[in-house]
Amino acid sequence: MLRQGAAIAELARHGYDGLLTLYRRHGPVFTLGAGRHGYVYLLGPEANRFVFANTALFRTREAFEALVPVDGPTSLIVSEGADHRRRRALVRPALHHRRVEGYVRTMAESADAAIDAWRPGDRIDAYQVFRAAIRRGTVRALFGPRLAADADFLGDRLQPMLDVIDRMPQALRAHRVLRTPAWRRAMAARRAADERLYAEIARLRGEARDGTDPHAVAPGDGEGDGDGGGARGGHILADLVRARSADGAGLSDAEIRDQAMTLIAAGYETTSAALAWTLHRLLTTEGAWRRARAEAERAGPPTAESLGRVPYIAGAVNEALRLHPPAAISARHTAAPFTFAGHRVPEGATVVYSPYVTHRLPEAWPDPLRFAPDRWAEGFRPAPEHFCPFGGGAHRCVGSAMATTELVVTTMRVVARATLTPETREVRPRGLTTMRPAGGLPVRVTSVRPG
């Protein structure tokens, strides 16, 4: 029998690892709390498969309501049913892996710009350094080089918004209802960021109306060409403005704003956290950094082609995503009652599933706690319910190709150009919306090679 107090104390003491302990003690289904403040945990591969396969049983809007102040009410992450299918169909082509390949040079340049500032002997927080670098690369991919300078502007406005939503839902509701100083700062920051985004959307729509759109491509000419700017020098925001469904309908300004802000926030938070964990594992696993460097040197500078020549680095990224998934837990709200593993789950419950738990189970992964990039060799593809750092099913993250490409490209540049020494080998996770390293990733720069 689950003792509520003891279970909550386990989570308070051990965080994400506490969920693993509760899974082993109580199985794949258990409930913590009661009423509308209670959570039903569905853990393990079979639970993931059930959640991903039964979209009609769940709603995402209520589960991710906390993200609306940043991402907006039409973001894919909180969209449902026909609206979700329509928006996803219009957004997905702009983030197809062949389009993303066109941004490889932009990603590499952002990493190099950060590394260029290092000097031997410097002590840096690699998490914060690449948080800014990834943000700049994401903004440049979204808006093109003309507006790349807006990266820091948008980042400064995003941070108060991200700070206020990184809380339990009850605490966030209190901030909103009471209009606390933190809430007011976040909303003022959102208004400033929105003003800039809507101005750029209006400019792109004007170009399209006037026939002066420099990003327009001929029909069937939508592939990235590897020049650092996507197809024929375009960028994602222009793609979203031009996107049309079969009936000729496009995305509204608000829909475009929400998808753009979601991509910026994801790059700012989840991708930078995943990169920090990748570097941490390479630095603290014997021989891993040297092997990754040798592979990056053989492959040459990052290009769409050379990305296929770095299986060890790609495996290291996947291992970091497995052991430290930025979305360590995720949620759904039940739209109808159902039974899973002999347990009745009522309508209106908040269901929590956990990639973190699944990725560390020996029944899903041999030697699960070992960082082993070679397990991904020769095209190994785990079942989606076993490996789900980007979620799964109809709501799988539409930006996963962009995130993994940026992780591989940035890792290639760091290991090829720098030798780093970790200041600590023990890095603890923290965060609710994103699992990031507590205290950052402090390292000492031993050497830096020219770019």
Side-chain angles (χ1 to χ4, degrees), residues 282-297:
L282 287 171
L283 286 167
T284 56
T285 302
E286 182 66 32
W289 193 274
R290 290 192 300 275
R291 185 169 171 188
R293 166 175 279 187
E295 184 177 75
E297 289 173 344

Side-chain angles (χ1 to χ4, degrees), residues 406-435:
E406 186 142 32
L407 289 167
V408 171
V409 168
T410 306
T411 302
M412 287 175 70
R413 296 311 293 150
V414 180
V415 297
R417 293 193 55 196
T419 301
L420 306 176
T421 302
E423 296 279 77
T424 178
R425 300 183 72 83
E426 295 296 326
V427 178
R428 295 181 298 103
R430 68 177 294 267
L432 182 65
T433 56
T434 301
M435 188 176 75

Side-chain angles (χ1 to χ4, degrees), residues 280-337:
H280 166 65
R281 286 291 183 162
L282 287 171
L283 286 167
T284 56
T285 302
E286 182 66 32
W289 193 274
R290 290 192 300 275
R291 185 169 171 188
R293 166 175 279 187
E295 184 177 75
E297 289 173 344
R298 289 194 302 272
T303 63
E305 181 184 9
S306 68
L307 292 183
R309 298 198 294 267
V310 288
Y312 184 79
I313 291 173
V317 166
N318 279 329
E319 279 292 87
L321 289 169
R322 183 180 69 81
L323 289 165
H324 310 279
I329 58 174
S330 192
R332 298 286 190 272
H333 203 75
T334 57

Side-chain angles (χ1 to χ4, degrees), residues 65 69 171-180 183:
E65 187 72 29
L172 179 59
R173 278 194 292 271
H175 278 277
R176 185 177 66 243
V177 170
L178 298 174
R179 295 186 58 77
T180 63
W183 179 262

Side-chain angles (χ1 to χ4, degrees), residues 28-32 35 38-43 47 50-51 57-59 332-353:
V29 186
F30 56 87
T31 300
L32 292 179
Y39 297 90
V40 179
Y41 289 81
L42 302 184
L43 302 179
F50 181 86
V51 171
L57 290 177
F58 300 101
R59 293 193 297 269
R332 298 286 190 272
H333 203 75
T334 57
F338 61 85
T339 299
F340 176 76
H343 293 260
R344 184 71 170 169
V345 179
E347 180 181 354
T350 299
V351 165
V352 177
Y353 74 93

Side-chain angles (χ1 to χ4, degrees), residues 331-382:
R332 298 286 190 272
H333 203 75
T334 57
F338 61 85
T339 299
F340 176 76
H343 293 260
R344 184 71 170 169
V345 179
E347 180 181 354
T350 299
V351 165
V352 177
Y353 74 93
S354 175
Y356 183 91
V357 168
T358 300
H359 295 174
R360 290 172 176 247
L361 293 177
E363 54 266 41
W365 295 89
D367 199 1
L369 301 186
R370 186 168 66 92
F371 177 74
D374 285 325
R375 77 169 85 227
W376 297 86
E378 298 179 2
F380 168 64
R381 292 176 65 88

